[in-house]
Amino acid sequence: MVFRKLMAAFGAGVEVDTVLTNTGVRPGEPLRGVVHFRGGNSDYKVEGIYIDLTAVVEVESGDNEYKTTYSFLRQQVAGTFQLAKGAQHQQSFEIMMPWETPISAIAGHPLHGMKLGVQTELALAGALDKGDLDPLFVSPLPVQEHVIGALDRMGFHFKKADLERGTLYGSTMPFFQEIEYYAGGQWRKYFNELELTFIAGPRQMDVILEADKRGGFLTSSHDAYNRFTVRYDDPPNSADAVLQRGLEQMARHRGWF
């Protein structure tokens, strides 16, 4: 364990370390972990422990772009307790991940462009202090894996992923994920790039595709746009056929196909 000192401004010297026990959590699953505390130079009354799930989001403002950190879930995992001088204390926790939590790892590998994190907050001496940001790796749902695998089989090549500020129809998040691909295979002659977005729920998810024609990416016109729903109890290989139809519809709509 690596303890990090908190509350330096208050002279408390309290140290904390948060250890996640399931680092490959999926949306809709419980995130489990243990917060370890080590007391400072005197007895303290801890007024609460909070776990804050955060994401780095891309923000467009006029002609400028910048990144900021959004909290998408904050949960109290412990109430009031006494932390004796130099004593060690631990608090286990379990937090249900929102269904719309973005993907940040595939097959155990971090997804380039994504940064999710866990921060531990300690309420002490009438103030709140946050620990360092620990990385959070969220794996795709099985149906998301099937969609991603289908795009790979169709010849699309992963470019990058990021989070954009904004709320899409049917979403509850203040941001949405875009997984970007270079077109490949037969689709290279119709599209230059493709953006993939998931809006997941407990029984089904919406898949949003947006593509450009070679030479420039479409923005607000959504001319090359397709949105469809995939149920979690659909046959696994149905993603291939649904994606094929969606891509063909986009190409036909623009007269490319």
Side-chain angles (χ1 to χ4, degrees):
M1 292 186 297
V2 179
F3 282 95
R4 293 154 176 169
K5 189 166 289 187
L6 293 179
M7 308 305 294
F10 301 95
V14 176
E15 294 176 308
V16 63
D17 180 48
T18 300
V19 179
L20 300 179
T21 56
N22 57 336
T23 54
V25 67
R26 286 173 164 152
E29 292 182 347
L31 175 69
R32 300 184 179 94
V34 180
V35 183
H36 300 269
F37 286 96
R38 188 157 59 198
N41 47 23
S42 61
D43 295 348
Y44 287 97
K45 179 182 178 181
V46 177
E47 299 166 351
I49 302 172
Y50 302 83
I51 298 295
D52 194 16
L53 305 184
T54 65
V56 176
V57 177
E58 191 98 3
V59 178
E60 293 185 8
S61 178
D63 295 330
N64 300 318
E65 290 185 357
Y66 63 93
K67 293 183 178 181
T68 188
T69 300
Y70 273 69
S71 170
F72 64 93
L73 181 66
R74 183 175 182 270
Q75 185 168 313
Q76 184 172 359
V77 297
T80 303
F81 64 93
Q82 290 296 131
L83 184 61
K85 176 182 177 180
Q88 294 200 27
H89 172 82
Q90 67 179 37
Q91 175 65 50
S92 60
F93 64 86
E94 181 176 296
I95 298 173
M96 294 302 297
M97 298 294 291
W99 283 101
E100 293 182 58
T101 303
I103 300 165
S104 59
I106 296 179
H109 301 287
L111 191 60
H112 177 67
M114 291 299 303
K115 187 174 182 181
L116 304 183
V118 178
Q119 278 190 313
T120 305
E121 300 180 353
L122 176 68
L124 180 67
L128 189 69
D129 196 17
K130 295 184 179 183
D132 292 339
L133 189 68
D134 295 308
L136 173 62
F137 298 107
V138 178
S139 299
L141 294 164
V143 67
Q144 292 171 331
E145 289 181 336
H146 294 317
V147 171
I148 291 169
L151 285 174
D152 182 64
R153 290 188 291 275
M154 291 177 180
F156 288 89
H157 304 287
F158 174 76
K159 178 183 177 183
K160 68 181 181 70
D162 63 11
L163 298 177
E164 300 284 339
R165 185 174 67 174
T167 300
L168 300 178
Y169 174 77
S171 172
T172 60
M173 289 284 198
F175 54 78
F176 57 93
Q177 184 174 33
E178 290 182 340
I179 304 176
E180 299 180 18
Y181 292 87
Y182 295 111
Q186 64 169 319
W187 303 104
R188 190 180 295 114
K189 58 184 175 182
Y190 306 116
F191 309 131
N192 185 39
E193 296 181 6
L194 180 76
E195 290 180 351
L196 169 69
T197 297
F198 297 118
I199 301 180
R203 290 175 295 277
Q204 62 187 36
M205 72 174 183
D206 282 2
V207 180
I208 300 173
L209 303 175
E210 189 174 358
D212 73 325
K213 189 177 181 180
R214 303 189 70 81
F217 203 84
L218 297 172
T219 54
S220 60
S221 66
H222 296 302
D223 285 343
Y225 173 91
N226 193 279
R227 179 170 179 157
F228 54 88
T229 300
V230 178
R231 300 186 64 87
Y232 298 154
D233 55 2
D234 288 343
N237 59 358
S238 64
D240 297 64
V242 174
L243 276 171
Q244 179 80 21
R245 288 196 300 270
L247 292 167
E248 289 177 359
Q249 287 171 5
M250 287 194 296
R252 285 197 185 99
H253 182 68
R254 293 289 295 170
W256 303 338
F257 191 75

